[in-house]
Amino acid sequence: MIVVFEAHATEEQIRNVQGRVEALGLRVQRSDGVEQTVLGVIGDRKRLGDIRQFALLPGVRDVIPVSSPYKLASREFHPEDTVVQVGAAAIGGPEVILVAGPCSIESKAQIESTAQAVADAGARLLRGGAYKPRTSPYSFQGLGEPGLELMRRAADRHGLGMVTEVMTIEQISIVAPYADMLQVGARNMQNYPLLVELGRSGKPVLLKRGMSATIEEWLMSAEYILSGGNSQVVLCERGIRTFETATRNTLDLSAAPVVKHLSHLPIVVDPSHGVGDRRYVAAMARAAVAAGADGVMIEVHPDPDHALSDGPQSLTFDEFAALANRCRIIATTLGRRIAKGA
Amino acid sequence: MIVVFEAHATEEQIRNVQGRVEALGLRVQRSDGVEQTVLGVIGDRKRLGDIRQFALLPGVRDVIPVSSPYKLASREFHPEDTVVQVGAAAIGGPEVILVAGPCSIESKAQIESTAQAVADAGARLLRGGAYKPRTSPYSFQGLGEPGLELMRRAADRHGLGMVTEVMTIEQISIVAPYADMLQVGARNMQNYPLLVELGRSGKPVLLKRGMSATIEEWLMSAEYILSGGNSQVVLCERGIRTFETATRNTLDLSAAPVVKHLSHLPIVVDPSHGVGDRRYVAAMARAAVAAGADGVMIEVHPDPDHALSDGPQSLTFDEFAALANRCRIIATTLGRRIAKGA
Amino acid sequence: MIVVFEAHATEEQIRNVQGRVEALGLRVQRSDGVEQTVLGVIGDRKRLGDIRQFALLPGVRDVIPVSSPYKLASREFHPEDTVVQVGAAAIGGPEVILVAGPCSIESKAQIESTAQAVADAGARLLRGGAYKPRTSPYSFQGLGEPGLELMRRAADRHGLGMVTEVMTIEQISIVAPYADMLQVGARNMQNYPLLVELGRSGKPVLLKRGMSATIEEWLMSAEYILSGGNSQVVLCERGIRTFETATRNTLDLSAAPVVKHLSHLPIVVDPSHGVGDRRYVAAMARAAVAAGADGVMIEVHPDPDHALSDGPQSLTFDEFAALANRCRIIATTLGRRIAKGA
Amino acid sequence: MIVVFEAHATEEQIRNVQGRVEALGLRVQRSDGVEQTVLGVIGDRKRLGDIRQFALLPGVRDVIPVSSPYKLASREFHPEDTVVQVGAAAIGGPEVILVAGPCSIESKAQIESTAQAVADAGARLLRGGAYKPRTSPYSFQGLGEPGLELMRRAADRHGLGMVTEVMTIEQISIVAPYADMLQVGARNMQNYPLLVELGRSGKPVLLKRGMSATIEEWLMSAEYILSGGNSQVVLCERGIRTFETATRNTLDLSAAPVVKHLSHLPIVVDPSHGVGDRRYVAAMARAAVAAGADGVMIEVHPDPDHALSDGPQSLTFDEFAALANRCRIIATTLGRRIAKGA
């Protein structure tokens, strides 16, 4: 922690702060600058507690934390890229992974035909929800476990890994036997008891960014999972909330290079939720690959106009195949690749 | 739903939309305006599914929902104010309720002395956390059930109702026997499985606004609880996330009159989390009462500098008593009242 | 500036930064902490240029500015409250000033009747626009100089000071002979050439906060005016842009206590633009007074339903008089006062 | 306009609204739905004035505008792409245009060497500021007209078009003789008097998006210029303000496909201001091309560490050349091209 004093702080005010810090068993180094005095605090950060309290002492202008709030998620303490293996997909390696499938699992025919189509187009992972977080209590809430069974069979038949969401601690034990990767939705990014359990689950986790989460908070949420002993965490950018209303969210693609800089964890981008409009999904998927994402996750449906959820942002099979082709070429220009399908 | 066509939409495009709507068993009324054609859709809204899909049809400029997404929470369908009784406090009636207490329950002495101090100053409800959602996995996570016991005894001894947070479904059955009101934190506002369970719990619920939730989404979350059969819901504004960094959040006090207009549910304001800085809490508590809030919730601690959490935004006993006095006078000027303490 | 190094920064990387700083003629103080090394830079801040460049050097985690970016606007360098005299109003003193009037000056009868009504209700200053910044080029753009004449006469007849907006440098010389105070609109908060000219104008300035301006940037804009030699600056909070759509903007009332803490300049609140809906204006005006604002600025119109601009957020004369009465009582409870009208 | 009534609106309330609309000379079409009544208003929209006033009438739940607020900027009324010719660059055609140069013109050597480097790398346009909008009055404010002369000569020598900012109406007549394209900065996006003058200037305009402007407001600002008779407008996305602090702004790349859908005007992306950090600029430039932008604008400096402004986000010559090469390949994969330099 650094304590910055006001220009006219008195010697007594400075000594008061210094005394409090030293009383906690920490050491202080003082700099008397041209404009103000600054104290640097040396020692175990945990002893300080909530440092905002020092900002309230007389004569203090500001206090500034200097240690990183997350460690296990930080590239500083883990310089090599993490690669998370999910089925046949190595997320975070040279291959850019396509994840695709419907918003909700609706029927055997729907998930089966979708699995085939996305596998044919080069996807490695099948996405789809059996438990759905819906804004309205009156909307379709998902098929539950029967949906998981349908999805598992469809994934197996087409050699795909299976990614699906868990919304509660209890769902982990239901979902884990079926899925290859457990997804944490944006609304649960700071559901800490859920994160703690996922840290113990031993399954790869796809952690979506909260709607108004900073990148730092997102990495703190990853830290919860990592600190439980589970190092298989993949981050997923899905748009943040801003004042703009032309798109459902504002897809923050700069998260890709920023996360790559700050962390060793892989990052995948979900343009379907990011823009919420089928017409803009392909452009943003291409942009995500160009920005350096390790994967893109796309909502695909055999008949988007009749989907039970998120139809307007879902692509048809043909649209997805076209998108995959374009992304494949862009990946190549960056020295990466995307799997060729059938 | 209203469908607005582009200025140069063709007759065929208009008929295509009309046909699709009618195929769903709904009726259409057409208006040919000076600049564009508009279709009004009449009938059961649920048949339409996700209306964004119509926005993607050729020739359509926009589609606009016209039915309210929430019903039970809406004043339109329930014109009289709801009053929620919690212990001796009738929230939503003429009395403005003070809710006060520490961020976390830390010890018997701490919760006991705080209960006495806030009761003496006129508080009706004691707040305090036994299960804490902390951004960092390395921070104090709360005392759990032993904390609940300490808090219950302190509340009883001073005639206070008890409000405390539940973070998971499992915690409901642990916490409910102790507490008079269950709080849903900002991070859980859209934890739908939790809301569904609270709808069945029979306990009053204090529903905090999510950090980036619109007022409409907040009322939709209330709808989840109400639709489960629990009508005792109180909303709590606690600041939203914006670009401003001088305060921890931006306290949206206009939520008070807006919620009063749109809904019959009571609304309480939490300026402690709203600003996150002790120096600004009293001003914002006064403003909340002046804006028409049904209560204010304040973090109070016997020794804020040594609190295990949120010390910088906690008031001392004396500061809280002074705040209560000021708010009491302002309430009077609005024809309301705040309980006098000892 | 403080430079914080990564945990594993090499000695060479640290020395490299140190060398660059010293090459600029500045002194460095080094702290080797438990987790990382920190360098404090001592000397004239201007020599550093844009400090973000140091953040890009190898081994650096972060750089942190420690000197305040504004001086003249800061309470740190000017502890006493500034009081700005405009006509009979002393803004920033014990009296809370009511500023009221129409959005646009429309006619002699309109401005005249409004001046009388607001003076009778206790307003000290008449507001009204002759030059209007309108989002659409097809909207009413204001009466221009003839409007200023009408407004000046109305203000004089009722003993009111006159506040009106200038949008360009050229308008300053047209408007200044009529007005007692020149308003800078939210869209011009960072129109620096305009601020520079207002710094030379010798007239009191009402500086509205930009729609997405931080409080720090707002004070920087005040600094532009102050540094030109004009110390008569009053800040005006008018709502910031957030994701919420139920109100036109989100009125950030915490700006009142925060600005009072950081600066010696007075602050006025404009709830009319802040919420954009007549039904919520009175509640927010009361809240502004309770939060410690030095004044409130309200749109008032003889016939809001037929106003040429901002009718939906304008109050009738009776509504304004009722609002003034309520605010007057709240001011009293804070040891302040609002002028009584006729 | 559509007026949506509350579920329990009375016949009298509905007739009241209908009467007011008809009194304005407009026609009304009424739909009595299952849940509520809706009125569609037919006729010249301007007669309605500010439609928010109808939302305040008793029994009304909401009013909804249905006509587009902008016409000249809308693709609906102008389906073909606009191509803006600036020097040798046709912006909005098949070629993706590179715009590059320093933040500020600093010296003859600086602008000359930069012009050569960016021309060699394939840029068509030279950017650089002679008049700088700086947050602090104590920062470098630009060289003014002598800077323009230096820049013009450098541009000519290397066959580049010249783009530079105008901050005031007066600067237009100074800058126009030198520049091929006039830039409106983000802070001036709603400086309407400036936009009106640019509408008369006959010069191509590069209109940056305001920091918190919606895409609709941005197009409304373009409408100001277009309605003055100047059809040569290019939009420039440069990042919007959000809660995220890891980047200077949040670059909204979805603006590229959205603007292409809503408007016929070309769109260029400025990743340098969008992220504000040299390390992330290349990734976001690639992403912008992949998302379909018609150009990218990059800050380039011979010695970024000693730039007088924006050094930390400026690229070296080599970094720019590498970026241009990558973007060139991506453009090709989309069937577009980027000019080859020397």
Side-chain angles (χ1 to χ4, degrees), chain D residues 222-240:
Chain D
E223 188 88 0
Y224 257 95
I225 303 170
L226 297 169
S227 69
N230 184 350
S231 62
Q232 304 171 79
V233 176
V234 175
L235 300 162
C236 179
E237 161 67 31
R238 47 76 72 203
I240 56 173

mmCIF file of all heavy atoms in Angstrom, chain D residues 222-240:
data_model
loop_
_atom_site.group_PDB
_atom_site.id
_atom_site.type_symbol
_atom_site.label_atom_id
_atom_site.label_comp_id
_atom_site.label_asym_id
_atom_site.label_seq_id
_atom_site.Cartn_x
_atom_site.Cartn_y
_atom_site.Cartn_z
ATOM 1 N N ALA D 222 -24.374 13.150 -37.438
ATOM 2 C CA ALA D 222 -24.074 13.116 -38.874
ATOM 3 C C ALA D 222 -25.177 13.843 -39.652
ATOM 4 O O ALA D 222 -24.904 14.571 -40.613
ATOM 5 C CB ALA D 222 -23.951 11.665 -39.348
ATOM 6 N N GLU D 223 -26.406 13.647 -39.203
ATOM 7 C CA GLU D 223 -27.554 14.282 -39.867
ATOM 8 C C GLU D 223 -27.401 15.811 -39.886
ATOM 9 O O GLU D 223 -27.783 16.473 -40.851
ATOM 10 C CB GLU D 223 -28.843 13.882 -39.117
ATOM 11 C CG GLU D 223 -30.125 14.289 -39.788
ATOM 12 C CD GLU D 223 -30.634 13.250 -40.793
ATOM 13 O OE1 GLU D 223 -29.990 12.199 -40.965
ATOM 14 O OE2 GLU D 223 -31.676 13.509 -41.424
ATOM 15 N N TYR D 224 -26.848 16.363 -38.808
ATOM 16 C CA TYR D 224 -26.609 17.816 -38.773
ATOM 17 C C TYR D 224 -25.725 18.255 -39.939
ATOM 18 O O TYR D 224 -25.979 19.260 -40.596
ATOM 19 C CB TYR D 224 -25.902 18.209 -37.466
ATOM 20 C CG TYR D 224 -26.801 18.844 -36.423
ATOM 21 C CD1 TYR D 224 -27.366 18.090 -35.421
ATOM 22 C CD2 TYR D 224 -27.071 20.213 -36.438
ATOM 23 C CE1 TYR D 224 -28.178 18.660 -34.445
ATOM 24 C CE2 TYR D 224 -27.874 20.796 -35.470
ATOM 25 C CZ TYR D 224 -28.434 20.017 -34.480
ATOM 26 O OH TYR D 224 -29.224 20.596 -33.535
ATOM 27 N N ILE D 225 -24.669 17.487 -40.183
ATOM 28 C CA ILE D 225 -23.737 17.848 -41.265
ATOM 29 C C ILE D 225 -24.393 17.612 -42.622
ATOM 30 O O ILE D 225 -24.339 18.462 -43.517
ATOM 31 C CB ILE D 225 -22.432 17.028 -41.138
ATOM 32 C CG1 ILE D 225 -21.802 17.266 -39.757
ATOM 33 C CG2 ILE D 225 -21.451 17.388 -42.251
ATOM 34 C CD1 ILE D 225 -20.649 16.333 -39.434
ATOM 35 N N LEU D 226 -25.029 16.461 -42.759
ATOM 36 C CA LEU D 226 -25.673 16.123 -44.033
ATOM 37 C C LEU D 226 -26.766 17.125 -44.380
ATOM 38 O O LEU D 226 -26.922 17.528 -45.536
ATOM 39 C CB LEU D 226 -26.287 14.718 -43.948
ATOM 40 C CG LEU D 226 -25.308 13.547 -43.720
ATOM 41 C CD1 LEU D 226 -26.082 12.278 -43.386
ATOM 42 C CD2 LEU D 226 -24.420 13.321 -44.944
ATOM 43 N N SER D 227 -27.514 17.540 -43.358
ATOM 44 C CA SER D 227 -28.649 18.427 -43.644
ATOM 45 C C SER D 227 -28.171 19.825 -44.033
ATOM 46 O O SER D 227 -28.948 20.631 -44.532
ATOM 47 C CB SER D 227 -29.605 18.481 -42.446
ATOM 48 O OG SER D 227 -28.998 19.149 -41.368
ATOM 49 N N GLY D 228 -26.886 20.105 -43.813
ATOM 50 C CA GLY D 228 -26.325 21.373 -44.265
ATOM 51 C C GLY D 228 -25.856 21.293 -45.708
ATOM 52 O O GLY D 228 -25.357 22.269 -46.262
ATOM 53 N N GLY D 229 -25.979 20.102 -46.304
ATOM 54 C CA GLY D 229 -25.630 19.984 -47.714
ATOM 55 C C GLY D 229 -24.307 19.281 -47.969
ATOM 56 O O GLY D 229 -23.874 19.150 -49.104
ATOM 57 N N ASN D 230 -23.659 18.827 -46.901
ATOM 58 C CA ASN D 230 -22.378 18.149 -47.064
ATOM 59 C C ASN D 230 -22.591 16.639 -46.877
ATOM 60 O O ASN D 230 -22.860 16.169 -45.777
ATOM 61 C CB ASN D 230 -21.397 18.682 -46.014
ATOM 62 C CG ASN D 230 -20.001 18.098 -46.176
ATOM 63 O OD1 ASN D 230 -19.788 17.161 -46.947
ATOM 64 N ND2 ASN D 230 -19.055 18.650 -45.449
ATOM 65 N N SER D 231 -22.464 15.898 -47.962
ATOM 66 C CA SER D 231 -22.755 14.463 -47.876
ATOM 67 C C SER D 231 -21.513 13.629 -47.609
ATOM 68 O O SER D 231 -21.595 12.400 -47.546
ATOM 69 C CB SER D 231 -23.411 13.998 -49.172
ATOM 70 O OG SER D 231 -22.501 14.197 -50.231
ATOM 71 N N GLN D 232 -20.375 14.276 -47.450
ATOM 72 C CA GLN D 232 -19.123 13.530 -47.308
ATOM 73 C C GLN D 232 -18.763 13.319 -45.835
ATOM 74 O O GLN D 232 -17.853 13.940 -45.306
ATOM 75 C CB GLN D 232 -17.996 14.280 -48.004
ATOM 76 C CG GLN D 232 -18.296 14.563 -49.473
ATOM 77 C CD GLN D 232 -17.265 15.491 -50.063
ATOM 78 O OE1 GLN D 232 -16.165 15.058 -50.397
ATOM 79 N NE2 GLN D 232 -17.596 16.770 -50.159
ATOM 80 N N VAL D 233 -19.492 12.446 -45.204
ATOM 81 C CA VAL D 233 -19.272 12.203 -43.779
ATOM 82 C C VAL D 233 -18.805 10.767 -43.578
ATOM 83 O O VAL D 233 -19.404 9.829 -44.108
ATOM 84 C CB VAL D 233 -20.568 12.445 -42.975
ATOM 85 C CG1 VAL D 233 -20.365 12.102 -41.500
ATOM 86 C CG2 VAL D 233 -21.034 13.887 -43.136
ATOM 87 N N VAL D 234 -17.731 10.610 -42.809
ATOM 88 C CA VAL D 234 -17.237 9.290 -42.420
ATOM 89 C C VAL D 234 -17.313 9.213 -40.899
ATOM 90 O O VAL D 234 -16.894 10.144 -40.206
ATOM 91 C CB VAL D 234 -15.782 9.076 -42.895
ATOM 92 C CG1 VAL D 234 -15.230 7.748 -42.386
ATOM 93 C CG2 VAL D 234 -15.696 9.155 -44.419
ATOM 94 N N LEU D 235 -17.851 8.124 -40.393
ATOM 95 C CA LEU D 235 -17.965 7.944 -38.950
ATOM 96 C C LEU D 235 -16.708 7.280 -38.407
ATOM 97 O O LEU D 235 -16.077 6.486 -39.116
ATOM 98 C CB LEU D 235 -19.190 7.076 -38.647
ATOM 99 C CG LEU D 235 -20.510 7.670 -39.148
ATOM 100 C CD1 LEU D 235 -21.594 6.599 -39.217
ATOM 101 C CD2 LEU D 235 -20.955 8.826 -38.269
ATOM 102 N N CYS D 236 -16.336 7.603 -37.187
ATOM 103 C CA CYS D 236 -15.148 6.982 -36.587
ATOM 104 C C CYS D 236 -15.433 6.507 -35.165
ATOM 105 O O CYS D 236 -15.624 7.310 -34.255
ATOM 106 C CB CYS D 236 -13.980 7.964 -36.597
ATOM 107 S SG CYS D 236 -12.484 7.273 -35.855
ATOM 108 N N GLU D 237 -15.450 5.189 -34.982
ATOM 109 C CA GLU D 237 -15.604 4.578 -33.649
ATOM 110 C C GLU D 237 -14.269 4.673 -32.929
ATOM 111 O O GLU D 237 -13.247 4.235 -33.468
ATOM 112 C CB GLU D 237 -16.023 3.109 -33.810
ATOM 113 C CG GLU D 237 -15.793 2.213 -32.593
ATOM 114 C CD GLU D 237 -16.670 2.568 -31.395
ATOM 115 O OE1 GLU D 237 -17.796 3.054 -31.595
ATOM 116 O OE2 GLU D 237 -16.217 2.366 -30.253
ATOM 117 N N ARG D 238 -14.284 5.179 -31.699
ATOM 118 C CA ARG D 238 -13.031 5.365 -30.966
ATOM 119 C C ARG D 238 -13.137 4.937 -29.500
ATOM 120 O O ARG D 238 -12.323 5.345 -28.680
ATOM 121 C CB ARG D 238 -12.531 6.805 -31.089
ATOM 122 C CG ARG D 238 -13.559 7.861 -30.865
ATOM 123 C CD ARG D 238 -13.938 8.086 -29.443
ATOM 124 N NE ARG D 238 -12.860 8.746 -28.724
ATOM 125 C CZ ARG D 238 -12.737 8.673 -27.396
ATOM 126 N NH1 ARG D 238 -13.597 7.973 -26.668
ATOM 127 N NH2 ARG D 238 -11.753 9.301 -26.781
ATOM 128 N N GLY D 239 -14.134 4.119 -29.220
ATOM 129 C CA GLY D 239 -14.263 3.620 -27.849
ATOM 130 C C GLY D 239 -15.275 4.428 -27.075
ATOM 131 O O GLY D 239 -15.377 5.637 -27.253
ATOM 132 N N ILE D 240 -16.016 3.739 -26.244
ATOM 133 C CA ILE D 240 -17.007 4.405 -25.402
ATOM 134 C C ILE D 240 -16.613 4.222 -23.945
ATOM 135 O O ILE D 240 -15.756 3.413 -23.610
ATOM 136 C CB ILE D 240 -18.425 3.838 -25.646
ATOM 137 C CG1 ILE D 240 -18.466 2.315 -25.432
ATOM 138 C CG2 ILE D 240 -18.896 4.201 -27.048
ATOM 139 C CD1 ILE D 240 -19.873 1.727 -25.496
#
